[in-house]
Amino acid sequence: EEMTPPGHILRQKAAVLKSKEQLFSHPAHSLDTKSKEALIYDVKDVKLMEKKVKRGWDSERNFVQPAWEDFVSISNLLMKYGALLPREMLHDCSNIAADLSLQLKSTFFGEIVGKLSAENELWLALVLTSPFIKTLTHAQLAGLVPAIVSDQSRGDTMGIYEPSEEILSCIEKLRPMQFALEDLQYEYHVQAPVCLEPNFSGLVEAWANGCEWDGIVGGTSLDEGDVCRLFQRTIDVLKQMTLLDGLDMGLRDKS
C-alpha cells in the first residue's frame, strides 16, 4: 500500500507547483534572454535605491526627530485628516508648532482613530470608514483585514487560496488613499506602515467561509504558529470593529 506523504511535504509540493504556475504565467516569461537580463538589473537597481532612501530617511529621523518633533509631526498629520482641530482657530492652524499653547480637540473621526489599536491607527480608521468596504460580505471583510494590518514582507510565502474578486476590487479602490497617506507621512516625517497587500487575504477568507483546519494549513507554506497569529490578529481587529461607536452598523454586524 502506497503511503501518503507527510503534510509538510504536500504543502511544499503545492508551493513549488504554485511558483511554477506564477513563473510561466508572468509576462516577463515571454521576453527574450537579453530583455530578461535588462529587466533583472533594473529591478535590482530600484530595490537598491529604495533601501538607500529608507536608510537615509531613518538616519535623518533618528538624528533630528526627538519626542517633541514626533508629537508635532503626528499631530499635524492628524489635523490634515481632520482627526484633530484647534480649540481656537489661529492664523496658521495647519501647523501645531506655530503656537506651543495651542489646544487641540478630537473630532468624530478622531475619536474613531483614538479607539483603535494597530500599528497605524489612522490608516485603519481611514479604511474602516471608507464606503468601498460596505458591500463586502462577512468573509470578505475578514479577508481584507490582513491586507491592511499585516506585515507581509516575507517573499517566500506561498498558498493555494486566492482572494475573491470583491476583495481585490476593494483594494484597488483603496490604493489612491494608501498612496496619499504614504506621501503625507513622508512629508510630516511620520513613520508607520500603510499596508495594502492581499497575500494572506485568500487564506483568511477561506477560513471565514468555514474551511477546515487541515485544508487551511495544507494550502499555505506558513507554519501553524504563523497561521494562528494571522487569525488572532484578524479576530482582534474585527472585535475592535464590533465595539467601535460611530462605525457603520452594517460593518459592525458583519464583524
Side-chain angles (χ1 to χ4, degrees):
E1 183 179 354
E2 185 177 353
M3 296 182 61
T4 302
H8 69 279
I9 297 296
L10 293 175
R11 290 196 294 273
Q12 187 62 34
K13 184 177 180 180
V16 171
L17 291 175
K18 186 67 176 178
S19 297
K20 287 183 177 179
E21 291 177 4
Q22 292 181 336
L23 177 64
F24 289 121
S25 63
H26 196 280
H29 184 70
S30 60
L31 298 176
D32 57 61
T33 302
K34 187 175 181 180
S35 298
K36 287 180 181 178
E37 292 178 350
L39 179 60
I40 291 172
Y41 283 124
D42 288 342
V43 170
K44 288 182 177 179
D45 287 342
V46 170
K47 288 186 176 297
L48 180 61
M49 291 176 63
E50 289 177 345
K51 288 182 179 179
K52 288 182 177 180
V53 169
K54 186 178 185 301
R55 186 162 56 246
W57 184 13
D58 290 344
S59 299
E60 179 184 0
R61 185 175 185 276
N62 292 334
F63 182 72
V64 301
Q65 194 86 347
W68 171 247
E69 279 76 8
D70 275 342
F71 171 75
V72 171
S73 297
I74 294 172
S75 297
N76 284 331
L77 181 63
L78 291 173
M79 289 176 67
K80 188 73 174 181
Y81 277 95
L84 291 177
L85 288 177
R87 292 187 182 277
E88 296 182 3
M89 300 298 291
L90 302 179
H91 293 297
D92 180 13
C93 64
S94 62
N95 192 336
I96 189 176
D99 188 344
L100 298 182
S101 65
L102 177 63
Q103 294 186 359
L104 301 176
K105 63 178 180 179
S106 180
T107 63
F108 179 78
F109 176 66
E111 292 291 334
I112 294 178
V113 176
K115 291 177 181 177
L116 291 170
S117 176
E119 288 188 271
N120 192 333
E121 288 87 357
L122 175 57
W123 171 236
L124 182 56
L126 287 169
V127 173
L128 296 185
T129 56
S130 166
F132 303 130
I133 72 171
K134 291 184 178 180
T135 58
L136 298 178
T137 66
H138 75 281
Q140 292 164 359
L141 184 62
L144 179 66
V145 170
I148 60 176
V149 300
S150 298
D151 177 13
Q152 303 182 25
S153 57
R154 290 178 54 177
D156 58 343
T157 302
M158 302 298 298
I160 64 174
Y161 296 105
E162 297 293 338
S164 61
E165 287 298 323
E166 288 80 3
I167 291 180
L168 295 177
S169 175
C170 181
I171 286 176
E172 288 310 305
K173 292 175 182 176
L174 292 170
R175 193 72 67 186
M177 190 187 303
Q178 176 199 26
F179 293 156
L181 179 56
E182 287 178 334
D183 288 344
L184 284 172
Q185 286 188 175
Y186 182 83
E187 178 182 344
Y188 287 111
H189 299 284
V190 174
Q191 196 169 23
V194 188
C195 306
L196 192 59
E197 294 300 332
N199 297 357
F200 303 138
S201 293
L203 185 67
V204 174
E205 185 179 13
W207 168 63
N209 274 322
C211 184
E212 297 292 336
W213 178 252
D214 288 344
I216 291 292
V217 297
T220 178
S221 60
L222 291 173
D223 61 41
E224 294 187 7
D226 287 334
V227 174
C228 288
R229 283 186 287 274
L230 175 65
F231 288 173
Q232 185 57 54
R233 190 180 301 119
T234 301
I235 292 172
D236 177 63
V237 173
L238 293 174
K239 185 177 180 180
Q240 290 185 57
M241 292 174 62
T242 63
L243 304 174
L244 198 58
D245 294 333
L247 190 64
D248 179 81
M249 188 56 67
L251 287 176
R252 294 177 65 179
D253 291 339
K254 294 175 187 176
S255 302

